Amino acid sequence: MPTLAELARSHTRLTIDDVAHLQRLAAAWGMLADLCFADLLLLAPVAGEEGHRFVVLAQVRPTTDQTLYRDDMVGTIVDEVERPLIARVWRIGEIGVGDAAVIGQTIERANVQAIPVRHRGKVIALLTREAATTTGRRLGELERVYFEIFDRFARMLYEGTFPFTGGALVPEESPRVGDGVLVLDTESMVRYASPNAVSSLHRMGIHANAQGQRLSDIGLDDDAVRTAFAARAPVTEELEWGDTSILLQVIPLLEEGTPNGALLLMRDVSELRRRDRMLLSKDATIREIHHRVKNNLQTVASLLRLQARVDGVDPRKALGDSVNRILAIAAVHEVLTEHREDTVDLAELLERLRATLVQGLVSGTKVTAALENVELEGQRATALALVFSELLGNALEHGGRQVAIRLVRREGSAVLSISDDGKGMAGAAEGTGLSIVRALVGDELGGSLTLVDDAGLRAEVVFPAGG
Ligand SMILES: Nc1ncnc2c1ncn2[C@@H]1O[C@H](COP(=O)(O)OP(=O)(O)OP(=O)(O)O)[C@@H](O)[C@H]1O
Ligand SMILES: [Mg+2]
C-alpha cells in the first residue's frame, strides 16, 4: 500500500513541507474521527487537474462509531462529477456541508462536511467528514459536546493552526477520546467531563463533580494547561497517584491563533506502566542470571585448577570428584528453574544431591536424612551444595556403614551436620575436598566448620540463614 508521501509524490504537486504538514495531521486525526463519530478522508488535487480530480491520501475510521468505508480508500481518485461538493469547497476555500454519494457506491448516501486544510496561508488539501445520513435521532450531551469540539478543530484546520508542529506523543500511548475527555475554557474551568474522564478522576482520588469547577479547585494542577495556552501547542503530563498513572494531554483550542479553550484527554496508563516496570525487571533478571552463570563457571574453573595442583592423584578419581562438584552446582540451578522464587529450599536441594551421590554407590552404606526447611539465595545455596557434596562424599568414601544427615533451623542460622560411624579423621591430613569446604564455608556462607571425631566423624556447618 502506498504511503501518504508516495501518493503525494506520484499524484500531486504538494511540496515536501506540505506533505510533512499532512503527515502531522494524519498522526493526530484519530482524535478528530472519534470526536465527530465518522470516517475522515484526506484529499489532495491531482496534479494538472486541480479542482477537478482528487486523490485520497489518507483515511481514518472512528473508534466511537461504525465506518462507512469498509474498503481501503487510500489511492482512490474522486472527480467533480462524483463529488461536486469537494470541487466547490476547493474552489471557494470555505468549509462546506452537503449530502453526497458514498465514494465508490451508487445508492448509499453520506452526510459530508468538507474542510479546507490550510498550510502557510494556502489551502493544500481537503479533509472530509463522511457520516451516515442521520436518522433524526436526538443527540446526547456527549455527542453534542464532541461535535462542537470537532467544529472548533475544523476551524483550526481551515485557519492553518491544526495540526500542531510540536508536542507530539508516542502514538501508541496518546490518549484517545474514548479514554476520557475534559473540555476546558480559558480559565481552566471544566465545561464538560466525559464519563471515562470522571472515572479516571475517581481513580486519582478526585470525587468532586468536576463540571463547572476549575481544575485547581478540584485538586488538579493546571500548570500543563497554562503551558499549553502560552505555547499554543499540546502539552503532555503524567500524574501518579499511588499505583495509578494518568497520562494527560492538553490540546489548546485556538481561534484565529488565540486560545479559547482546551481539550484535556486523559488516559489511565497504570497497566502500561506496570508492564513497563515488569519488562525492566525482567531485563535486570536476565542480566543477573548471566552474571550468576559467569560466577558459577568461574567457580568450576577454580575447582578444576585446585584439583590440578594436587600431585599423585589418580586422574580418574580427580575427574570423578570434579564431576560431582559440577553436578552439585547444577542441582542448585535445577531447583531454581522449577520454582518462581529466587531462593532455594535447602531441604529439597540436599535431598536431590543425596540421591545423586548415593546412586552410584556399590557399598551398602545406609544414609538417613532429617531436613528442615531452610531458604537460601542462589549463590550461597551453590556454596552449600558444594560443601554438602564434599562432606557426604567423604562420609560415603571414608566413613562407616551408616551416615546421618541433619539440617536444623536455629534463630537466624542453620546447622548442617553429617555424621558417620567410621573411624573419624584420626589425625589424617585434610586434602583438596576439605580445603574447598573450608574456603566456601568461610568466604561464601559466612559460617563455621567443625570436625569432631565422635564414634565416627561428625562434620558440622553453622551458617546464617533466614530472618
Ligand atoms: N568422614 C571421614 N571419615 C574418615 N576419614 C575422613 C573422612 N573425611 C575425610 N577423611 C580423611 O581426610 C582426608 C582428606 O579428605 P578431603 O576430603 O579433604 O580430601 P579429598 O581431596 O576429597 O580426598 P578424598 O577423596 O580422599 O576425600 C581423606 O583422605 C580421609 O583420610
Ligand atoms: Mg573428599
Side-chain angles (χ1 to χ4, degrees):
M1 199 183 88
T3 64
L4 192 158
E6 286 163 358
L7 279 172
R9 202 175 326 115
S10 58
H11 288 75
T12 74
R13 289 208 171 112
L14 291 169
T15 65
I16 290 171
D17 183 51
D18 292 338
V19 172
H21 187 76
L22 298 180
Q23 280 170 326
R24 280 193 295 275
L25 172 58
W29 71 344
M31 171 180 72
L32 301 189
D34 290 346
L35 285 169
C36 72
F37 309 94
D39 293 281
L40 300 180
L41 300 179
L42 183 63
L43 301 115
V46 172
E49 298 178 90
E50 279 84 356
H52 305 291
R53 275 154 60 86
F54 299 83
V55 58
V56 178
L57 293 180
Q59 161 187 22
V60 67
R61 300 187 177 94
T63 60
T64 46
D65 212 327
Q66 289 175 6
T67 179
L68 270 187
Y69 293 98
R70 302 198 154 279
D71 294 334
D72 191 359
M73 302 304 291
V74 174
T76 306
I77 305 287
V78 185
D79 64 27
E80 62 188 322
V81 180
E82 186 175 14
R83 274 292 175 90
L85 173 69
I86 52 173
R88 195 176 70 239
V89 166
W90 178 261
R91 230 175 17 251
I92 303 169
E94 296 290 335
I95 297 174
V97 191
D99 174 83
V102 169
I103 298 170
Q105 308 273 327
T106 39
I107 304 165
E108 213 180 331
R109 307 292 295 176
N111 199 312
V112 178
Q113 182 176 3
I115 303 149
V117 178
R118 202 180 303 271
H119 181 51
R120 299 195 192 283
K122 221 180 91 214
V123 175
I124 58 169
L126 297 178
L127 181 142
T128 62
R129 169 183 180 269
E130 314 258 335
T133 42
T134 40
T135 49
R137 183 167 64 91
R138 279 199 46 195
L139 299 179
E141 189 193 13
L142 180 143
E143 287 161 307
R144 261 189 293 116
V145 172
Y146 286 8
F147 277 132
E148 187 215 307
I149 300 294
F150 175 79
D151 281 336
R152 289 163 81 174
F153 277 114
R155 195 77 211 158
M156 288 164 70
L157 277 168
Y158 167 79
E159 288 174 358
T161 53
F162 186 84
F164 295 98
T165 40
L169 264 179
V170 193
E172 55 267 28
E173 289 207 342
S174 192
R176 294 214 62 162
V177 169
D179 292 325
V181 173
L182 294 183
V183 180
L184 308 175
D185 69 9
T186 42
E187 307 297 315
S188 291
M189 169 96 73
V190 179
R191 288 291 173 204
Y192 176 77
S194 78
N196 280 345
V198 172
S199 302
S200 287
L201 289 173
H202 283 178
R203 247 163 275 138
M204 290 153 75
I206 298 172
H207 294 277
N209 182 8
Q211 222 146 303
Q213 299 211 60
R214 275 166 212 234
L215 286 186
S216 51
D217 293 337
I218 59 168
L220 249 185
D221 189 358
D222 62 359
D223 281 355
V225 180
R226 269 188 283 193
T227 314
F229 281 155
R232 294 165 191 206
V235 171
T236 304
E237 188 182 38
E238 193 163 326
L239 301 176
E240 291 189 21
W241 257 260
D243 284 344
T244 307
S245 305
I246 306 279
L247 190 67
L248 300 182
Q249 190 180 28
V250 183
I251 301 162
L253 297 165
L254 308 175
E255 195 179 325
E256 289 171 1
T258 307
N260 68 350
L263 196 65
L264 196 158
L265 301 178
M266 44 189 7
R267 175 175 176 199
D268 188 337
V269 288
S270 313
E271 188 54 27
L272 220 70
R273 294 295 170 258
R274 203 182 59 76
R275 261 184 261 161
D276 284 350
R277 279 195 298 275
M278 228 167 63
L279 279 177
L280 265 181
S281 83
K282 263 216 177 97
D283 204 55
T285 309
I286 290 170
R287 260 180 291 151
E288 172 62 21
I289 288 172
H290 283 305
H291 179 74
R292 285 186 204 170
V293 169
K294 183 215 73 179
N295 277 351
N296 284 345
L297 289 174
Q298 280 178 338
T299 305
V300 169
S302 55
L303 289 173
L304 290 172
R305 216 178 286 128
L306 206 69
Q307 186 75 284
R309 266 197 230 127
V310 188
D311 293 320
V313 185
D314 171 16
R316 271 179 213 275
K317 174 165 161 37
L319 282 177
D321 286 351
S322 296
V323 166
N324 279 344
R325 286 166 195 150
I326 294 170
L327 287 178
I329 297 175
V332 177
H333 287 290
E334 194 177 30
V335 174
L336 282 172
T337 44
E338 285 167 19
H339 301 281
R340 293 192 70 88
E341 302 87 59
D342 204 30
T343 56
V344 179
D345 174 19
L346 293 184
E348 188 181 345
L349 175 69
L350 300 190
E351 189 46 56
R352 251 174 233 251
L353 281 169
R354 179 179 78 104
T356 342
L357 285 167
V358 172
Q359 207 174 40
L361 229 61
V362 273
S363 72
T365 310
K366 194 171 162 231
V367 181
T368 57
L371 307 171
E372 289 183 6
N373 288 95
V374 178
E375 295 284 330
L376 216 58
E377 77 280 11
Q379 179 152 359
R380 294 176 73 226
T382 305
L384 192 86
L386 282 164
V387 166
F388 177 76
S389 160
E390 292 301 328
L391 294 177
L392 181 59
N394 278 354
L396 294 171
E397 200 178 329
H398 312 293
R401 312 191 57 79
Q402 296 210 14
V403 177
I405 306 165
R406 274 160 52 82
L407 178 65
V408 206
R409 230 182 6 235
R410 276 197 205 150
E411 194 130 317
S413 63
V415 184
L416 168 70
S417 73
I418 295 163
S419 3
D420 59 57
D421 61 348
K423 58 179 175 17
M425 288 293 284
E430 299 190 0
T432 320
L434 286 169
S435 76
I436 290 172
V437 171
R438 285 202 185 277
L440 291 172
V441 169
D443 302 345
E444 302 274 327
L445 286 167
S448 60
L449 168 79
T450 41
L451 298 175
V452 191
D453 278 358
D454 174 20
L457 181 68
R458 189 170 88 245
E460 201 170 84
V461 182
V462 184
F463 56 96

